[in-house]
Amino acid sequence: MERIQVSKEWMQKYEEIKNLMTSSVNYAQCFGMKEIQGKEIFVLDMGEVTFPSGEILVRDPLVWLNRNEKPYLQSVPIGKFKVNTLVAKIEEDHYRYVLSRVKFTEEIPVIYYEALKGDENLDSFEEDSIFGFPVDAGLATIVDVETKNAYCDFVDNWYKKNSGKNIYDDFFAAIFEKNAMENPLYQREGGDWINFRIPNTDLSIPMIQSGFGDGVYPVYFGYDKDNNLCDVVIEYIYLG
């Protein structure tokens, strides 16, 4: 079990403020719209992600995805699921990624609660604030803990063979550029997303340009009227 074992006191505090940690946006509805806040929007299919254990996390894949990072308290169904990203047309030939979503059921979400790991300082929480995850390389990923561990193995082995090099500049940059050539829709020339298959595994790690770059971004789990999990959403640009 990789999840944090939370204290009774933490859970009690969480239940007290849980209803303050919701989003004012129904993200599922956004994926059915043609325009938001005067901007034309599109849905980009980024392929599939596999969750072998159902324990997932969202991190910056180049800076914060290490072996010690813990998954969210909410587990998800095991299996393969599509990753779709909502794209906004800011101006001609200028697009930004607004949300990424992994959908688990066909039920309609009615409420979204912020995803937590269980070590957040809930005493510091204020209404309309977020905990989120930090981004320092302009990228986000959503992965299962098994994918995280396989990716960390890959990165460690790459650096052993490429001492003194940088894994983005000397490896991933070319993959981003190749994907942009093969899938130019809603991407800049150097590439804004990939879904990288980790060598010698059947696991992939999506890497997605995070809205307007570095910062802190929230993650939300959506639930239907019966409190069943429907989806998980990464919000890059605030829509509230």
Side-chain angles (χ1 to χ4, degrees):
M1 176 70 69
E2 293 204 30
R3 276 184 289 170
I4 293 170
Q5 299 301 300
V6 301
S7 68
K8 181 180 178 181
E9 291 75 19
W10 191 96
M11 283 303 303
Q12 183 176 348
K13 180 66 175 180
Y14 173 67
E15 291 299 330
E16 291 174 2
I17 66 172
K18 179 179 179 180
N19 288 333
L20 300 178
M21 305 178 72
T22 62
S23 174
S24 61
V25 179
N26 188 308
Y27 301 108
Q29 291 179 354
C30 294
F31 278 82
M33 296 179 180
K34 300 296 183 184
E35 182 179 291
I36 295 180
Q37 296 181 7
K39 302 298 182 184
E40 192 174 5
I41 57 173
F42 310 90
V43 177
L44 179 58
D45 183 348
M46 293 182 170
E48 293 181 325
V49 64
T50 302
F51 296 146
S53 74
E55 306 295 328
I56 68 166
L57 58 160
V58 176
R59 297 290 185 275
D60 178 326
L62 298 183
V63 179
W64 294 106
L65 191 61
N66 58 63
R67 297 183 193 279
N68 296 325
E69 289 294 311
K70 300 299 184 182
Y72 297 121
L73 294 175
Q74 173 69 64
S75 58
V76 304
I78 292 171
K80 276 188 177 180
F81 306 94
K82 281 188 172 294
V83 181
N84 288 322
T85 293
L86 196 70
V87 183
K89 183 178 180 181
I90 305 301
E91 55 190 30
E92 196 64 35
D93 294 325
H94 179 193
Y95 299 92
R96 289 288 177 174
Y97 299 159
V98 180
L99 312 165
S100 288
R101 181 190 188 206
V102 178
K103 179 179 171 183
F104 303 116
T105 76
E106 295 303 318
E107 297 301 314
I108 301 171
V110 296
I111 194 166
Y112 281 88
Y113 292 105
E114 186 173 0
L116 300 179
K117 306 190 303 297
D119 61 353
E120 293 83 0
N121 180 4
L122 299 183
D123 291 329
S124 69
F125 179 79
E126 297 179 359
E127 191 170 2
D128 295 328
S129 65
I130 61 168
F131 288 104
F133 67 101
V135 169
D136 292 305
L139 295 169
T141 189
I142 180 167
V143 291
D144 188 277
V145 294
E146 290 191 20
T147 307
K148 174 201 71 172
N149 293 335
Y151 174 73
C152 288
D153 288 342
F154 166 75
V155 171
D156 288 347
N157 290 331
W158 188 90
Y159 275 113
K160 285 178 184 177
K161 297 175 182 177
N162 297 274
S163 179
K165 293 189 176 182
N166 178 281
I167 198 167
Y168 181 82
D169 294 337
D170 299 305
F171 182 77
F172 282 121
I175 298 175
F176 272 88
E177 188 173 353
K178 182 174 184 290
N179 184 57
M181 292 176 63
E182 295 174 350
N183 303 281
L185 205 58
Y186 317 132
Q187 289 204 72
R188 292 171 293 186
E189 189 173 317
D192 285 318
W193 69 274
I194 59 174
N195 198 347
F196 175 66
R197 177 65 62 89
I198 301 170
N200 304 314
T201 76
D202 61 354
L203 303 171
S204 64
I205 174 168
M207 298 187 187
I208 305 164
Q209 180 259 332
S210 53
F212 289 105
D214 298 344
V216 176
Y217 296 94
V219 178
Y220 293 95
F221 287 108
Y223 302 86
D224 65 20
K225 59 181 176 59
D226 297 316
N227 202 37
N228 296 314
L229 180 67
C230 298
D231 60 5
V232 59
V233 172
I234 312 168
E235 182 182 64
Y236 309 122
I237 298 176
Y238 178 62
L239 295 177

